[in-house]
Amino acid sequence: MKKEAQGKRVAVDRAILELEQFLPYRLSVLSNTASRAIADLYERRYGLSIAEWRTMAVLGSYDGIAAREVAERTAMDKVAVSRALARLIADGRVRRRTAEHDKRQSVLGLTAKGWKVYAEVAPLALEHEKRLLAHLTVEERRWLAHILDRLWQAELEEIAR
Amino acid sequence: MKKEAQGKRVAVDRAILELEQFLPYRLSVLSNTASRAIADLYERRYGLSIAEWRTMAVLGSYDGIAAREVAERTAMDKVAVSRALARLIADGRVRRRTAEHDKRQSVLGLTAKGWKVYAEVAPLALEHEKRLLAHLTVEERRWLAHILDRLWQAELEEIAR
DNA sequence: TTAATCTAGTTTCAATTGAAACTAATTGCA
DNA sequence: TGCAATTAGTTTCAATTGAAACTAGATTAA
């Protein structure tokens, strides 16, 4: 490490870690910008938070699941799910029944109104994803998907331990 | 899409988007787990939040910069930086002078105490990063670095527009 | 010059989040 | 059985965050 012109903004000798090169930092910044743009859009247009959108998305794929499974499938904790559901139900986008076989559990699903929102938001989200990926070549995209799978898997194993 | 056994957990016809495959979601989950483990560690051991650690990290690399530049280099907003600095200074880990050429600006740097913390935390952070990357082959690691660069660059261009 | 604009950084107040405690129902097991 | 432990989900309260307003200094341009 050596001085730049002016002797200002010196990269210091003792430094061992460059934040800009640090993987967790890079992932965090990337993740934030990837989510922010689209999140702002459906927040403004539909009053949906990320937590609410994720909840709707999994209910779009898995009708009739309980809150616990929403939490698993959205990687959110049960408190966040509870709050997201409270708002979605208040807005009439999600319906909740009590499971007959276990009265603690709920049976959740999108209402007609919820499906209407879903049918508008999902394409926006997918388009946004496409725009992000458009910056990569086909090969890079394949590698990215592969690497995410690998890391995902590694995490699961880590948690399982 | 078709029914699974039991007629439960049905993947619904109208579903357009699988959250688990959605890039912003995958990045978010990955980023969270990548940061969480290490963040918990230096929170417990040194009482450092992520914002504080990032601030210390850039001050370790760039001595004498102002809060504005900390914000740029950590991808945090100025309020977050102001608060992180307030705590770091209160803890005696960062020193702040006023810039002579512009009395609005501060001139920031790690104190001896700050350097001591840095010298302990940085290796921990790097080791953690190594453990994450250990799940990938050399080739995968190279591609990951490359892809992150590409997306990073794309973002910068996006913002510049 | 000096008034208007801009920039660095802080403060305030409301909204969001996180952790712990809680309620209600279910399960495991002596 | 029935009582202790577990699970689903909610509530509460404190801590964190975000947005806007604010202070103080610097810059611009008439």
Side-chain angles (χ1 to χ4, degrees):
Chain A
M1 312 254 156
K2 55 184 211 294
K3 291 209 275 183
E4 287 170 26
Q6 279 31 294
K8 282 197 62 190
R9 303 187 173 187
V10 172
V12 168
D13 287 354
R14 281 175 279 186
I16 351 179
L17 185 147
E18 288 294 326
L19 191 64
E20 309 95 89
Q21 297 305 317
F22 186 54
L23 184 62
Y25 170 72
R26 303 195 74 178
L27 285 174
S28 163
V29 174
L30 188 60
S31 162
N32 282 345
T33 38
S35 290
R36 192 61 42 109
I38 182 73
D40 285 354
L41 182 64
Y42 47 65
E43 163 68 50
R44 272 201 316 282
R45 266 201 225 172
Y46 304 94
L48 277 178
S49 69
I50 291 186
E52 283 158 36
W53 162 241
R54 283 188 185 175
T55 299
M56 290 193 68
V58 302
L59 291 180
S61 292
Y62 305 95
D63 188 47
I65 63 177
R68 205 209 76 257
E69 192 171 345
V70 173
E72 272 171 26
R73 293 194 178 276
T74 54
M76 299 174 1
D77 64 57
K78 62 184 183 170
V79 177
V81 172
S82 172
R83 298 205 251 239
L85 284 171
R87 288 197 47 190
L88 289 169
I89 291 164
D91 294 342
R93 290 165 172 176
V94 167
R95 103 195 108 61
R96 165 161 57 193
R97 294 184 289 109
T98 298
E100 313 103 48
H101 64 288
D102 183 342
K103 285 180 207 148
R104 293 170 308 177
Q105 282 183 226
S106 44
V107 175
L108 302 162
L110 297 176
T111 60
K113 190 173 168 192
W115 275 113
K116 226 178 120 197
V117 173
Y118 178 92
E120 292 180 40
V121 174
L124 282 178
L126 288 169
E127 205 213 309
H128 172 71
E129 180 184 45
K130 221 172 179 176
R131 250 205 331 279
L132 286 174
L133 288 171
H135 295 108
L136 301 179
T137 67
V138 174
E139 195 184 18
E140 286 164 348
R141 263 176 255 174
R142 264 206 301 269
W143 275 103
L144 177 58
H146 169 72
I147 290 166
L148 288 175
D149 281 340
R150 294 278 312 238
L151 291 173
W152 198 270
Q153 200 49 47
E155 262 169 28
L156 291 182
E157 282 159 25
E158 201 98 3
I159 291 161
R161 260 196 295 123
Chain B
M1 313 259 157
K2 56 183 207 297
K3 288 209 277 181
E4 288 170 25
Q6 277 34 291
K8 284 196 62 191
R9 303 185 174 188
V10 172
V12 169
D13 289 355
R14 285 172 281 184
I16 324 180
L17 183 147
E18 287 296 322
L19 190 64
E20 309 95 272
Q21 298 304 317
F22 186 54
L23 185 62
Y25 170 71
R26 303 196 74 177
L27 285 174
S28 163
V29 174
L30 189 60
S31 162
N32 283 343
T33 39
S35 292
R36 192 60 43 109
I38 182 73
D40 285 353
L41 182 64
Y42 47 67
E43 164 67 50
R44 273 200 318 280
R45 267 202 223 170
Y46 304 94
L48 278 178
S49 69
I50 292 186
E52 284 158 36
W53 163 241
R54 283 188 187 175
T55 300
M56 291 192 69
V58 303
L59 291 180
S61 292
Y62 304 95
D63 188 48
I65 62 178
R68 205 207 79 257
E69 192 171 345
V70 172
E72 273 171 25
R73 293 194 178 276
T74 55
M76 299 173 0
D77 63 58
K78 62 183 184 172
V79 177
V81 172
S82 172
R83 299 206 251 237
L85 284 170
R87 288 199 46 192
L88 289 169
I89 291 164
D91 294 342
R93 291 165 171 175
V94 167
R95 102 195 111 59
R96 164 161 56 193
R97 296 185 288 109
T98 298
E100 313 102 47
H101 65 286
D102 183 343
K103 284 180 208 148
R104 292 169 308 176
Q105 283 184 224
S106 43
V107 176
L108 301 162
L110 298 177
T111 60
K113 190 174 169 190
W115 275 112
K116 226 179 118 197
V117 173
Y118 180 91
E120 293 180 38
V121 175
L124 282 178
L126 288 169
E127 204 213 309
H128 172 71
E129 180 185 44
K130 223 173 177 175
R131 250 206 330 279
L132 285 174
L133 288 171
H135 294 107
L136 300 180
T137 68
V138 174
E139 194 184 19
E140 286 164 349
R141 265 176 253 171
R142 262 206 303 269
W143 275 103
L144 177 58
H146 168 73
I147 291 166
L148 288 175
D149 281 340
R150 293 278 311 240
L151 290 174
W152 198 271
Q153 200 49 47
E155 262 170 27
L156 290 182
E157 281 159 24
E158 200 98 1
I159 291 161
R161 258 195 295 121

